[in-house]
Amino acid sequence: MSKLFYFIVVLFSVGILGCSQKMTVENAILTDAPQVPPQITRTHPAKVIVDLEVKEVVKNIAEGVQYTFWTFGGSVPGKFIRVRESDTVEFHLANHPANKLPHNIDLHAVTGPGGGAASSFTAPGHKTQFTFKTLNPGLYVYHCATAPVGMHVANGMYGLIYVQPKKALPKVDHEYYIMQSDFYTKGGYGEKGLQPFSMEKAIDEKPTYVVFNGAVNALVGESAIKANVGETIRLFVGNGGPNLVSSFHVIGEIFDTVYTEGGIGANQRNVQTTLVPAGGSSIVEFKMDVPGTYILVDHSIFRAFNKGALGMLKTNGTEDKSIYSGKEVDENYIESKVNESAPVAPPQEPKEAKSGQQIFINSCSMCHQSEGQGLAGVFPPLANADYLMKLAKSPDRASLISIVLKGLSGKVTVNGKEYNNVMTPISGLSDEDLASVLTYVTNSWGNAAPHFSASEIKKAKEKLSQP
């Protein structure tokens, strides 16, 4: 009896052990930026199957500018992959038959030769498979590692894989996927048509474009990420490079918590700007306290306003004047200081023209340049500008006044050339100041239009404030 009992116990134990070793199997949910797959709620490891296809596609990198992107999943950046610590990931990499080149994948979350690259070299029309264990939680970059590696990365082959820790980070209201990268085209910024890759620029580390989520204005206007006052935001921020380090910043917000370099330990709080290395990442969290449009930038600031590294977070809700008052004082300061510094002035232009010129130099010339010539492909000219003159000579000039007060984003055509950028609102101007600068701009550099008056500005403001 004792031997039979012992045999039954052994069989039962083996059966229990066998059952405990069985893992659930699931297909990974993959998302395009800026969306993130939902938080994993299971409390046990699983076998997760990831299917990713490489596609070589022609898409816009800027308005009217096409580029041949090499992609993981048809978009830049590649799909966001979310798995859990201690999962077993069965990874399938397919190379579309229409592609011209072999590709592979190096996931920084993988412990093994080449991060998977050594096992995933895939010719066009083929599919490969390898398996890895998610030993370390965190936010990791993945990219192609086929020679020449820099060229494959520079053409858009990167994304993020998040190995969610066993104890998940606290829940937030919104999670978004933001990835910066630099592109190197033979033509200059905004030069139209299909642009080839420039190896010379890439080696010299002189990018034509620095962008979020694969294109200029990918996170602007209707494509902006969104939130409401009182909600918490978590941004999974990656940097595909291939060359530049990102100084990631959200204008008007402070990161309550930063998980530096993609780790899952909250090691910094109340951070203004965080560095994201090429081939690295960061997780940032913050709460929205007041409504408005918040601008995401690489704070190497010419990249934001001249190369494309700019996005928007639009927040709706009720204002809280105790946190942010808005403009409280609007008075003439420039003219009084001019008079103080030159009490005995020689004959000069009419007061309106001179103050308008000074305001233009202080507020507008950085983008539109000192003679109103603009910057080719970036900021439209004001000199001899048909778009400007059409608005300045129209019976209702409130739309021109609105551009100065509220800003402008999206495509405009000036003198037969398209521009697609962002003009930020100009604040702090009295009605007299705004009339002066508009009069100066619309009557300089070959322009000629009726002068603006303070009363016209006031009426336009009243009209614009109506629902």
Side-chain angles (χ1 to χ4, degrees), residues 243-320:
N243 289 321
L244 303 184
V245 173
S246 173
S247 301
F248 186 74
H249 177 75
V250 178
I251 300 174
E253 260 299 341
I254 297 166
F255 303 143
D256 300 326
T257 306
V258 174
Y259 302 81
T260 305
E261 297 180 348
I264 50 86
N267 58 347
Q268 276 289 11
R269 301 190 185 279
N270 303 322
V271 174
Q272 58 191 313
T273 301
T274 190
L275 288 175
V276 187
S281 65
S282 184
I283 304 171
V284 301
E285 298 170 350
F286 51 98
K287 180 183 178 182
M288 305 311 302
D289 295 302
V290 293
T293 298
Y294 296 81
I295 307 299
L296 287 60
V297 297
D298 179 341
H299 215 299
S300 298
I301 207 70
F302 278 99
R303 298 175 188 173
F305 295 104
N306 298 87
K307 291 182 180 288
L310 184 148
M312 292 181 175
L313 166 58
K314 294 188 175 181
T315 303
N316 295 315
T318 304
E319 293 184 352
D320 185 342

Side-chain angles (χ1 to χ4, degrees), residues 136 172 176 343 379 399 422:
N136 304 95
V172 293
Y176 289 112
F379 298 110
S399 57
V422 177

Side-chain angles (χ1 to χ4, degrees), residues 25-107:
V25 179
E26 61 186 49
N27 292 312
I29 298 172
L30 308 180
T31 58
D32 289 322
Q35 303 307 317
V36 176
Q39 187 179 86
I40 296 170
T41 57
R42 56 180 163 82
T43 57
H44 59 275
K47 179 180 179 180
V48 182
I49 298 172
V50 176
D51 280 295
L52 199 57
E53 183 183 34
V54 175
K55 294 180 180 179
E56 299 168 9
V57 298
V58 176
K59 302 178 75 171
N60 276 10
I61 193 169
E63 185 68 28
V65 184
Q66 293 79 45
Y67 190 77
T68 301
F69 295 95
W70 303 348
T71 75
F72 289 109
S75 60
V76 177
K79 305 287 187 179
F80 194 104
I81 305 168
R82 190 170 197 155
V83 292
R84 183 181 177 273
E85 182 183 359
S86 297
D87 281 348
T88 298
V89 179
E90 183 180 292
F91 202 99
H92 300 258
L93 184 68
N95 194 346
H96 194 279
N99 292 344
K100 296 180 174 61
L101 297 166
H103 299 283
N104 65 6
I105 191 166
D106 168 4
L107 302 107

Side-chain angles (χ1 to χ4, degrees), residues 113-160:
S119 305
S120 60
F121 184 83
T122 312
H126 289 253
K127 187 174 183 178
T128 58
Q129 175 186 325
F130 66 98
T131 301
F132 67 94
K133 187 89 167 178
T134 54
L135 301 178
N136 304 95
L139 181 64
Y140 299 95
V141 168
Y142 66 81
H143 61 88
C144 186
T146 300
V149 177
M151 183 177 182
H152 284 250
V153 175
N155 283 334
M157 299 196 76
Y158 39 76
L160 291 179

Side-chain angles (χ1 to χ4, degrees), residues 104-435:
N104 65 6
I105 191 166
D106 168 4
L107 302 107
H108 291 185
V110 170
T111 300
S119 305
S120 60
F121 184 83
T122 312
H126 289 253
K127 187 174 183 178
T128 58
Q129 175 186 325
F130 66 98
T131 301
F132 67 94
K133 187 89 167 178
T134 54
L135 301 178
N136 304 95
L139 181 64
Y140 299 95
V141 168
Y142 66 81
H143 61 88
C144 186
T146 300
V149 177
M151 183 177 182
H152 284 250
V153 175
N155 283 334
M157 299 196 76
Y158 39 76
L160 291 179
I161 176 170
Y162 179 49
V163 181
Q164 180 179 304
K166 293 177 182 178
K167 183 180 180 181
L169 299 183
K171 284 191 176 183
V172 293
D173 296 295
H174 299 282
E175 292 182 330
Y176 289 112
Y177 172 20
I178 312 293
M179 197 157 197
Q180 182 173 317
S181 50
D182 31 293
F183 287 91
Y184 304 82
T185 63
K186 185 176 181 180
Y189 183 95
E191 190 169 325
K192 305 297 183 184
L194 181 62
Q195 290 295 321
F197 168 72
S198 170
M199 180 63 83
E200 182 181 7
K201 284 185 178 179
I203 292 173
D204 290 342
E205 301 186 7
K206 295 180 178 178
T208 317
Y209 297 90
V210 184
V211 298
F212 294 136
N213 291 359
V216 175
N217 292 336
L219 290 170
V220 168
E222 293 302 313
S223 299
I225 57 176
K226 297 175 176 64
N228 295 311
V229 169
E231 293 181 331
T232 49
I233 310 296
R234 177 177 293 136
L235 300 182
F236 294 103
V237 184
N239 184 4
N243 289 321
L244 303 184
V245 173
S246 173
S247 301
F248 186 74
H249 177 75
V250 178
I251 300 174
E253 260 299 341
I254 297 166
F255 303 143
D256 300 326
T257 306
V258 174
Y259 302 81
T260 305
E261 297 180 348
I264 50 86
N267 58 347
Q268 276 289 11
R269 301 190 185 279
N270 303 322
V271 174
Q272 58 191 313
T273 301
T274 190
L275 288 175
V276 187
S281 65
S282 184
I283 304 171
V284 301
E285 298 170 350
F286 51 98
K287 180 183 178 182
M288 305 311 302
D289 295 302
V290 293
T293 298
Y294 296 81
I295 307 299
L296 287 60
V297 297
D298 179 341
H299 215 299
S300 298
I301 207 70
F302 278 99
R303 298 175 188 173
F305 295 104
N306 298 87
K307 291 182 180 288
L310 184 148
M312 292 181 175
L313 166 58
K314 294 188 175 181
T315 303
N316 295 315
T318 304
E319 293 184 352
D320 185 342
K321 298 292 187 180
S322 68
I323 295 176
Y324 181 72
S325 71
K327 182 167 61 178
E328 294 178 314
V329 176
D330 186 348
E331 60 186 18
N332 194 325
Y333 172 77
I334 294 174
E335 198 62 36
S336 64
K337 290 298 177 183
V338 169
N339 290 337
E340 284 178 17
S341 61
V344 182
Q348 49 187 264
E349 297 174 8
K351 176 181 176 182
E352 184 177 53
K354 181 172 177 58
S355 61
Q357 181 183 28
Q358 188 65 51
I359 295 168
F360 175 83
I361 291 170
N362 292 343
S363 302
C364 314
S365 62
M366 183 181 75
C367 296
H368 293 290
Q369 304 299 290
S370 59
E371 298 299 321
Q373 70 269 31
L375 286 172
V378 184
F379 298 110
L382 300 177
N384 291 303
D386 53 4
Y387 179 84
L388 175 64
M389 285 298 94
K390 182 179 179 181
L391 296 177
K393 294 180 179 180
S394 65
D396 180 9
R397 304 198 289 182
S399 57
L400 178 56
I401 297 168
S402 175
I403 289 174
V404 180
L405 293 174
K406 297 185 176 182
L408 181 68
S409 64
K411 184 171 65 177
V412 296
T413 301
V414 182
N415 297 342
K417 295 183 178 180
E418 289 183 356
Y419 297 82
N420 193 351
N421 212 315
V422 177
M423 173 180 168
T424 56
I426 298 176
S427 60
L429 298 181
S430 66
D431 294 349
E432 291 78 8
D433 290 340
L434 184 51

